[in-house]
Amino acid sequence: MDHCEILIAGYGVSGKAAVRLAAFLKKSYRVLDEKEQPELPDALAPWNAADPLPCRFQTAVLSPGIRAGNPLLKQIEAASDRIIGELEFAAENTDCPLIGITGTNGKTTTTELTTVLFQAAGEAAESAGNIGAGLSDGVIAHKNGSVDRLIVEISSFQLERAESFPVEVAAVLNLASDHVDRHGSMEEYARVKFVLANSARKAVVLNINLIREREMFLKTDVPVITFSAYDESADLTLKNGWICWHGKPFFDFHSAALKGRHNAENMMAALALLVAEKGEQMFGNIAVLDALKNFAPDHHRAECFLEKNGIRYVDDSKATNPHAVNAALEMFRSADGRKNILLLLGGLDKDMNFKELIPYLGSVKKIFLAGECRQKVASALAGYCEMEDCGDFRSAARRMCVEATPGDVVLLSPATASMDEFKNYKERGNCFKEIVREVAGA
């Protein structure tokens, strides 16, 4: 049997980045993907999934999309001395300082903000990982001298095979029902997330409400910095509209472009990561505070993209679990307690607990159900809110626009994945905007 250094299994964003790094390092590699792609470089072809792989590999770099039970995985395991993910492959081939961020919600916003804060502090920092840019590309940029530090968003899928992931500082933002279909239980989901925390060399940043998970899974002795927008015993807190460090206010959250308590927590986590690396003087750094004030999230994250005839239209397509939806419901609820939110729920289920939405439904005027798991959502929320089964996404979006009246918020915050009707959450969000603008005449 032929031997080769690396098998890159899966030719998506991370696989393509791994190919570029393997080529940069002048390592021998072969590429394998479940789908036929004529542009595959150095592809293993022809290959039948029922047959053994024709080569022996020192290392297989596995796409997070290839999950347990996939026949392809059995062949990869049989032909490889070890199996790692693209993040591990990149990390073991660099000495670039890494900051790792994981959690159920807020990862992308916190990653982007942390990157901006390090840049404001004078470093050539870039974002990578689950945010949509392969860490391998960041490693190449560091080797070429254009990057000082990499801020890495990390999903549970990317950690599930890892025993560790070497970072200077790690943050676990929160944990809520998500991806239970993949990991089997919430306990296993939490354990996987804390793999990152246990890998930190200098400090760990934790939401203070992760008390049980910290006791069960945190094994490292490095300092822990806590944050919370609700519990004033945390190191970083929100009090009277100000972000405080050990009770001392230093930033007026009302002045920030980011809104909502969940975003206050994202800010605190980003600040904690910066301070853990560069010291408490960062709390008084004018450039850092200006960056904190002006930072705005990307599209599809509680994005109020249109206001017309007294109605606000919000694209929160990135809210793919109940915890994220609850944050949006809290952000857009009426100050006078009136039911003011028309909510679109449903899509592809990830075996989540939709009953987590119930305590936050007080501001919801009506729920419009769509997608594959709409009956499951309806069953979980029966009796708590008026609901209408609209069948598909486009019908639901149109119905809620037609029923909206002045003072309402028309909110796409679906609590589910998008792949029953769309390629991804971005396509879903863009479809929602198109329908809103068409119906609202904007």
Side-chain angles (χ1 to χ4, degrees), residues 9 14 18 33 70 92 122 152 165 193 196 238 244 247 284 307 347 362 374 377 392 417:
S14 62
D33 194 272
N70 189 323
E92 67 184 26
V152 191
F165 182 71
K193 291 289 193 183
L196 178 64
L238 182 67
C244 307
E307 186 166 352
R374 63 188 186 278
V377 178
D392 64 278

Side-chain angles (χ1 to χ4, degrees), residues 251-268:
F251 180 76
D252 182 3
F253 182 61
H254 295 115
S255 69
L258 286 177
K259 303 299 179 186
R261 283 182 176 264
H262 65 296
N263 275 324
E265 291 195 331
N266 294 336
M267 277 189 175
M268 295 178 210

Side-chain angles (χ1 to χ4, degrees), residues 292-430:
L292 200 64
K293 177 180 178 180
N294 296 319
F295 177 83
D298 202 355
H299 300 298
H300 314 298
R301 295 174 178 86
E303 179 192 3
C304 187
F305 64 93
L306 177 66
E307 186 166 352
K308 186 174 181 182
N309 299 327
I311 303 168
R312 286 186 290 168
Y313 299 89
V314 179
D315 171 11
D316 193 33
S317 184
K318 188 67 165 62
T320 58
N321 54 66
H323 186 263
V325 177
N326 291 339
L329 292 176
E330 185 178 72
M331 182 186 298
F332 293 104
R333 67 183 178 183
S334 172
D336 60 9
R338 182 176 58 86
K339 291 182 179 292
N340 68 314
I341 297 176
L342 303 178
L343 176 63
L344 199 164
L345 289 177
L348 182 67
D349 186 26
K350 296 178 284 183
D351 197 20
M352 292 177 294
N353 179 13
F354 294 109
K355 289 186 180 294
E356 292 176 5
L357 295 167
I358 291 171
Y360 294 83
L361 294 178
S363 60
V364 177
K365 191 175 182 180
K366 185 174 179 179
I367 292 172
F368 298 80
L369 297 167
E372 185 179 289
C373 70
R374 63 188 186 278
Q375 293 301 327
K376 180 179 177 181
V377 178
S379 177
L381 306 183
Y384 289 95
C385 190
E386 182 183 353
M387 290 182 278
E388 179 179 339
D389 187 338
C390 301
D392 64 278
F393 179 89
R394 290 165 178 81
S395 297
R398 290 180 181 278
R399 285 287 304 133
M400 64 196 305
C401 289
V402 168
E403 290 202 18
T405 58
D408 286 347
V409 175
V410 174
L411 174 63
L412 166 63
S413 192
T416 61
S418 58
M419 285 77 77
D420 57 337
E421 296 186 61
F422 301 96
K423 290 191 298 185
N424 51 45
Y425 75 88
K426 295 180 181 179
E427 184 179 75
R428 176 170 63 186
N430 289 333

